[in-house]
Amino acid sequence: MLLQHFDTDYIILLLSTLLILGVITTKFSTRLGVPSLVLFIMLGMIMGSDILDIIYFDNPNVAQLIGVLALIVILFEGGLQTKWSSIKKVAYPSLSLATIGVLLTTSIVALAAKYILGMDWLVAFLLGAIVGSTDAAAVFAALSGKNVKQKLASTLEAESGTNDPMAVFLTLSFIQLITLEESNVTLLIGSFFWQMGIGLVIGLILGKIGSNSINKISLDSSGLYPVFALAFAILTYGLTAMVNASGLLAVYVAALVIGNKELTYRHSILRFNEGFAWMMQILMFVILGLLVFPSQLWEWSLIWKGFLVAFILIFIARPIAVYLSLSFFKFTNKEKLFISWAGLRGAVPIVLATFPMISNVENSQVIFNFVFFIVLSSALIQGSSIVYLANKLKLTGPNKTTPPHTLELVSIGKANAEMIEYHIGEANQLIDQKMKNLELPQNVLVNAIIRNEALITPSGETSILKGDILYILSDKKSVRELKQKLNDYGDLSIAH
């Protein structure tokens, strides 16, 4: 076993190997139609002591630390990419799913765990709480770049970004009820409102402070802005957790605030956090895979009981929770069916399953194994068929376009300038207009056009066509005026 002879060089070599293999597996996951998290977990299991015996890892404390850090990064990246204009339309149904939906799912799974697994009621509810929430990492990855209708995608993303705190609260509450004799249910209810309320407030405050700080601070290198933004995400979680409130909720709210403000070097901040979120996903799922011992999973009792509970979660608990949670909102039966099916379980339940292990709850390893089996079943059955179901139910919209090229700017922090990436949509008023006729602010210049994956250097006689991507260089003082002008030309998609 290599771990016995590890030094710094071996650890660095192994880490780089895991990251390279993790990146390569994302390509296979796309071709196979299997969620990448499944392949990351399998990679960790293969590298573990039960198969290749390269790494022996059984430390839930380290796994939990890496898992929480990864969730902070993933939630922050997801919040930055989410448009408030889309989220506010589905805020109430998403919150209903994130609260009432989680409670209903927890209760139904607990009932199944009680009579199928033979657990005590409190332990059964603990298991239900652990798998009660959908997973932000899994949902963001499953919907990324897909043409699922905006209303449904926004509902699922908002739900997965806000239901983690509910699952964390329920998990910790049931652990407390199990391990502490003097636990008080009334105090736990008060704790719920404290955690959610204070988490929301701190997220809003630090989000505003963070966006203002990013815009007002003058850094020597544009590469420091993404680091500065990420530091605010980690600070938000740390400060919120210190006052016993929901750090994950605060991070997501802060990211929503920051992501929907005018930001200096938005493009750099988004691309950095997107790449870092992928790296943390790979590391987190591989570590969680290492924490599993496959020899303990291949027991017939675990397999059939775990599959039965997973079946109840996917086909009974989740649909009931969705239909009841959304009963007062305008969703069609097809939309409710799709939301039910797209409620993926992923990293959050597995990370939460380490909490009973750390708290020395009896049979915590058994709980972890069942949670792991349920998550894999959800990812394989639901995750691989989301797009197929959306197409079958005719719940898809226009294909999402992504720019085939990106113009990267070397640090222009001292030049006090920004590059705007502007997409020409079907209804844009600039279509067929010549460059010389554009009414743009002073100190603004269209540097390049990407058309049909080709780079065009514009001149005054160049006409703008549907589907063009314009790269516009502007000084910071003119950015607001430029965006207002571009807004007047029609529906737009801007990144900078």
Side-chain angles (χ1 to χ4, degrees):
M1 193 165 52
L2 288 179
L3 194 60
Q4 295 174 345
H5 309 288
F6 266 2
D7 58 19
T8 302
D9 295 335
Y10 277 115
I11 295 174
I12 292 174
L13 176 62
L14 184 62
L15 180 61
S16 64
T17 303
L18 289 174
L19 288 175
I20 290 173
L21 290 175
V23 171
I24 293 173
T25 54
T26 60
K27 195 70 176 178
F28 286 106
S29 72
T30 303
R31 292 183 177 180
L32 295 174
V34 177
S36 55
L37 70 91
V38 175
L39 298 183
F40 296 155
I41 290 174
M42 290 178 63
L43 177 61
M45 294 171 66
I46 291 171
M47 300 287 280
S49 57
D50 270 8
I51 300 180
L52 294 182
D53 198 24
I54 295 177
I55 307 172
Y56 180 85
F57 180 80
D58 65 348
N59 192 324
N61 292 280
V62 174
Q64 185 185 108
L65 174 62
I66 294 174
V68 171
L69 284 173
L71 290 176
I72 293 171
V73 176
I74 293 165
L75 282 172
F76 186 66
E77 191 269 338
L80 287 177
Q81 300 273 16
T82 301
K83 293 182 179 180
W84 174 244
S85 58
S86 300
I87 290 295
K88 68 180 180 181
K89 298 176 183 178
V90 295
Y92 290 117
S94 298
L95 287 175
S96 181
L97 287 168
T99 51
I100 297 173
V102 173
L103 282 171
L104 290 171
T105 303
T106 297
S107 301
I108 297 171
V109 173
L111 191 66
K114 168 64 178 177
Y115 292 104
I116 295 174
L117 307 180
M119 294 178 168
D120 293 336
W121 276 115
L122 285 178
V123 178
F125 270 97
L126 173 60
L127 177 62
I130 290 173
V131 299
S133 72
T134 58
D135 180 64
V139 172
F140 291 156
L143 298 178
S144 177
K146 305 299 188 298
N147 60 336
V148 176
K149 281 188 175 180
Q150 187 62 54
K151 174 185 176 182
L152 301 180
S154 298
T155 300
L156 288 165
E157 289 175 358
E159 177 202 7
S160 64
T162 55
N163 68 4
D164 293 346
M166 185 68 175
V168 172
F169 166 76
L170 290 175
T171 299
L172 295 177
S173 296
F174 284 117
I175 289 176
Q176 186 174 337
L177 290 172
I178 292 170
T179 57
L180 300 177
E181 295 181 0
E182 66 276 8
S183 297
N184 189 308
V185 176
T186 303
L187 292 178
L188 292 178
I189 294 174
S191 174
F192 168 78
F193 288 103
W194 169 267
Q195 289 192 35
M196 302 305 159
I198 299 302
L200 176 63
V201 171
I202 294 179
L204 289 171
I205 293 174
L206 289 184
K208 290 181 179 180
I209 294 175
S211 57
N212 290 334
S213 300
I214 291 169
N215 287 330
K216 291 183 178 180
I217 193 171
S218 179
L219 299 175
D220 292 337
S221 171
S222 60
L224 292 174
Y225 286 90
V227 179
F228 191 54
L230 182 60
F232 263 96
I234 300 173
L235 175 67
T236 299
Y237 180 89
L239 289 178
T240 309
M242 287 294 291
V243 295
N244 295 319
S246 177
L248 295 178
L249 177 62
V251 168
Y252 186 68
V253 171
L256 280 175
V257 174
I258 294 173
N260 284 276
K261 294 283 189 179
E262 299 291 340
L263 282 184
T264 298
Y265 300 113
R266 172 184 292 275
H267 189 77
S268 297
I269 292 172
L270 294 181
R271 295 290 76 80
F272 172 85
N273 280 282
E274 182 181 11
F276 195 55
W278 269 110
M279 187 180 78
M280 293 304 293
Q281 274 195 66
I282 293 171
L283 182 60
M284 172 178 60
F285 285 123
V286 169
I287 290 293
L288 295 175
L290 288 171
L291 196 60
V292 175
F293 295 90
S295 59
Q296 298 177 4
L297 297 179
W298 305 127
E299 297 179 3
W300 175 241
S301 175
L302 173 64
I303 292 174
W304 79 263
K305 290 180 179 180
F307 184 77
L308 185 55
V309 174
F311 180 89
I312 291 173
L313 169 63
I314 296 170
F315 293 97
I316 299 177
R318 173 67 178 176
I320 289 176
V322 169
Y323 274 77
L324 290 178
S325 298
L326 299 181
S327 57
F328 298 104
F329 303 101
K330 294 181 180 180
F331 286 85
T332 65
N333 285 327
K334 286 184 177 180
E335 290 172 337
K336 291 177 183 177
L337 176 60
F338 179 77
I339 292 173
S340 300
W341 192 252
L344 299 179
R345 269 61 188 175
V348 172
I350 302 177
V351 172
L352 291 180
T354 64
F355 283 62
M357 301 172 73
I358 294 172
S359 301
N360 295 318
V361 173
E362 189 176 356
N363 295 322
S364 57
Q365 185 63 52
V366 175
I367 295 174
F368 184 89
N369 291 339
F370 273 114
V371 169
F372 191 84
F373 191 89
I374 291 169
V375 167
L376 279 184
S377 300
S378 170
L380 286 170
I381 296 172
Q382 297 170 274
S384 58
S385 55
I386 286 180
V387 176
Y388 173 81
L389 182 63
N391 290 328
K392 276 293 183 181
L393 296 176
K394 298 181 180 180
L395 296 175
T396 56
N399 289 327
K400 294 182 179 179
T401 57
T402 54
H405 299 274
T406 299
L407 294 183
E408 294 291 345
L409 295 181
V410 178
S411 175
I412 55 175
K414 293 183 181 299
N416 203 32
E418 294 187 29
M419 183 70 82
I420 306 295
E421 182 185 279
Y422 179 53
H423 299 236
I424 304 297
E426 294 184 359
N428 198 293
Q429 297 176 22
L430 292 181
I431 294 175
D432 295 329
Q433 294 287 325
K434 292 186 180 296
M435 296 296 299
K436 64 182 181 181
N437 296 328
L438 295 186
E439 298 179 359
L440 299 178
Q442 290 186 345
N443 301 320
V444 171
L445 179 66
V446 179
N447 290 78
I449 299 176
I450 301 296
R451 178 180 298 163
N452 297 325
E453 301 190 11
L455 177 65
I456 296 174
T457 302
S459 66
E461 296 299 322
T462 302
S463 295
I464 299 172
L465 303 181
K466 182 181 71 174
D468 282 354
I469 302 171
L470 277 58
Y471 286 90
I472 308 171
L473 185 64
S474 169
D475 68 349
K476 289 185 179 180
K477 294 181 179 179
S478 303
V479 168
R480 185 179 296 273
E481 182 184 355
L482 171 62
K483 284 198 170 186
Q484 183 60 53
K485 179 68 69 174
L486 294 177
N487 244 324
D488 293 339
Y489 289 128
D491 189 27
L492 53 85
S493 174
I494 287 182
H496 67 282

